Amino acid sequence: MPYNELRKDYLLDRWVVIATERARRPTDFSKPKMESAKPALCPLCAGNEHMTPPAVLVYLPSEAGSVRKTEEEGDFRRKNWVLRTIPNLYPAFAPPKDPADADHVMSNLSFGNAIGAHEVIVESPNHSDHPADADLSQLTYVVNAYKDRLNELSQKSYVKYVQIFRNYGLEAGASLSHAHSQIIATPFVPTIVAAELAASKTYYNQHGNCIFCDLIKQESQSPRAILDNAHFAVFAPYASVNPMEFWILPKRHTSNILSLTNEETEGFVQTLKTTLKALKDLVNDPSYNYGIHLSIDKEAENYYHWHVEIYPHLAIWAGFEKSTGVYINTVAPETAAAELKKAAKYR
Amino acid sequence: MPYNELRKDYLLDRWVVIATERARRPTDFSKPKMESAKPALCPLCAGNEHMTPPAVLVYLPSEAGSVRKTEEEGDFRRKNWVLRTIPNLYPAFAPPKDPADADHVMSNLSFGNAIGAHEVIVESPNHSDHPADADLSQLTYVVNAYKDRLNELSQKSYVKYVQIFRNYGLEAGASLSHAHSQIIATPFVPTIVAAELAASKTYYNQHGNCIFCDLIKQESQSPRAILDNAHFAVFAPYASVNPMEFWILPKRHTSNILSLTNEETEGFVQTLKTTLKALKDLVNDPSYNYGIHLSIDKEAENYYHWHVEIYPHLAIWAGFEKSTGVYINTVAPETAAAELKKAAKYR
């Protein structure tokens, strides 16, 4: 190959240089992870419920072995739980203090109030129940909590988008090491999501298809394919901006996770666990971020397709990336996919 | 303040939440910097010229106390230098291997060859001559090298943009700790720069003024002002996405650094040193990136205005930022400006 390749994202005007001359292999990134040691007193661990604000959602073990949502106000600080969701103590976005405030959100083009919500999903009473290692039943509670909170937050008049995401490891911004996800509801559709919506709408109008449905067909046959099961496809995107980046897409076209069936939920947590475990094994437990891209806009139902983008934290975006919005990736997505595919196979 | 503020960038569709409830003060960020110890054998130090590719530019001390550029091919590896610029050993963008390749660049909308250039400016023979501490005369060589390389690279038919940037500290992506800057020439105008150009052009057409000229007037009178001298203004931008971010803008309207006079160059290096030293003193020598935003497009001369954006590395962009393109900044730009202004005053 005489030159490094420049590649554009499927949807975004986002370019990446696949800098293969450096020819990094996944194992080159193996290094001792910066450990955030388990604190003496973790506010998210079972028994320390008094250290957090009262929960907005609690799952309790039921006699039948499944869970039930708590309905009693007093239960929001109870101790016997399998999952709880709490407001963030320092919310970036907060609910309106006065109902009238909700209507005036974002009327101006250059500033507004950060009205919305910011919550923490405590995924397990056990400190280290991260997705690569947790039981599938525990991960099912997590995805159900994503659905429950999305369902409630997306009905608020002042909420235009709900970002569900997860930070794992100190280097990826997880200031607490207890297994948790976060949800931020915003009063506008954020930049990247808005660009994805616009581009997928254009594609739909031109081709009569969902671009993500077409991508699943195309990339499952490509050297970027990682995993393919009854309900989900996993591949390394053509213009990955992160080394070892991969995306998980549902095969059934739907714009968000609210309509996930039990069987699909099961397939999703299995896919999530398998791929994150493959990443963990391959690169010595790296830090990562993931975000669920979705739409809560009825109009987008035909053309938008929810999915998860997983960004391993293996490189630093430096002066070039921050100044230009162009990225340099030292691992070709095809290499990442081949290695992840192999690592996922033996699970 | 009942809510966190949402703010939009002057030009870009880039939003930030100023999350003042966390009320971080600059000194809260003080922590031991991850040190990249000086290696036993630094390839950029004087005497190790054989460890790098031959230079493309060398400044030599002259009898008159100033410098002269070397003109002899054999001098590109000579030892007695005050500054040298070398090709990056692992270039992200590389010059065309065949002249014909240059014409076919970026003809496709989703991929291309990474044709351009990627160079390292070794700012001093001394390992630790970083801008906060280096002599002004040494920093003047650096800015002159920026000009010399920009002048040469911008004349290539295949170059559409030249990004000059600096990474300082391991956490900001500086894999070598020797004082150095980098230059990357690209065969297209990168995303962020293209968006700035488009927005400043629109503003110019609407108002008949350069938006940056107007910003200098406005922000110099605002609580975001940091420094103001004969030739330069420094302020914390209204929608800073990084804690302690600041921008340096020339008062004379010009779209790039090529026409900088000697007096302006002197003013620039003094401003750069003063502000970077203020940051170093205030926050315990943090890692940072800076990038020079400029245009080499004749058409943009009236509406674009070169400037430097300095991004201290004090926060981690995590799942929310990477998924949405919306940022959370825990230091209000007004607080950052007040502290930097105070710290800069006593220099």
Side-chain angles (χ1 to χ4, degrees), chain A residues 208-222:
Chain A
N209 287 329
C210 159
I211 184 169
F212 294 97
C213 289
D214 284 357
L215 277 177
I216 290 170
K217 281 180 217 134
Q218 176 193 302
E219 296 298 46
S220 297
Q221 305 302 320
S222 85

Side-chain angles (χ1 to χ4, degrees), chain A residues 6-10 12 14-18 219 224 236-242 245 247 327 329 333-334, chain B residues 110:
Chain A
L6 263 173
R7 299 182 178 188
K8 192 185 114 19
D9 182 68
Y10 306 116
L12 304 173
R14 185 173 64 189
W15 289 83
V16 61
V17 183
I18 308 297
E219 296 298 46
R224 290 174 292 277
Y238 171 72
S240 302
V241 298
N242 301 281
E245 176 175 338
W247 294 3
Y327 299 84
N329 184 353
E334 293 74 15
Chain B
S110 63

Side-chain angles (χ1 to χ4, degrees), chain A residues 2-4 6 8 13 17 22 90-93 96-97 101 109-112 114 167 172 191-192 238 289 318-319 322 324, chain B residues 2-4 6 8 13 17 22 90-93 96-97 101 109-112 114 167 172 191-192 238 289 318-319 322 324:
Chain A
Y3 299 108
N4 285 336
L6 263 173
K8 192 185 114 19
D13 183 24
V17 183
R22 302 191 196 200
Y90 298 106
F93 291 80
K97 281 151 182 120
D101 289 348
L109 287 175
S110 64
F111 65 88
N167 304 331
T191 319
I192 290 177
Y238 171 72
N289 305 107
K322 290 181 178 172
T324 61
Chain B
Y3 298 107
N4 284 337
L6 263 173
K8 192 186 116 16
D13 183 25
V17 184
R22 304 190 195 198
Y90 298 106
F93 292 80
K97 283 153 182 117
D101 289 346
L109 287 174
S110 63
F111 66 89
N167 303 331
T191 319
I192 291 178
Y238 171 73
N289 305 106
K322 290 179 179 173
T324 61

Side-chain angles (χ1 to χ4, degrees), chain A residues 71-90:
Chain A
E71 277 139 35
E72 315 256 333
E73 189 68 22
D75 276 351
F76 289 146
R77 278 234 162 99
R78 62 172 284 169
K79 295 195 179 301
N80 181 21
W81 48 273
V82 295
L83 178 145
R84 65 199 297 259
T85 302
I86 54 177
N88 193 307
L89 202 55
Y90 298 106

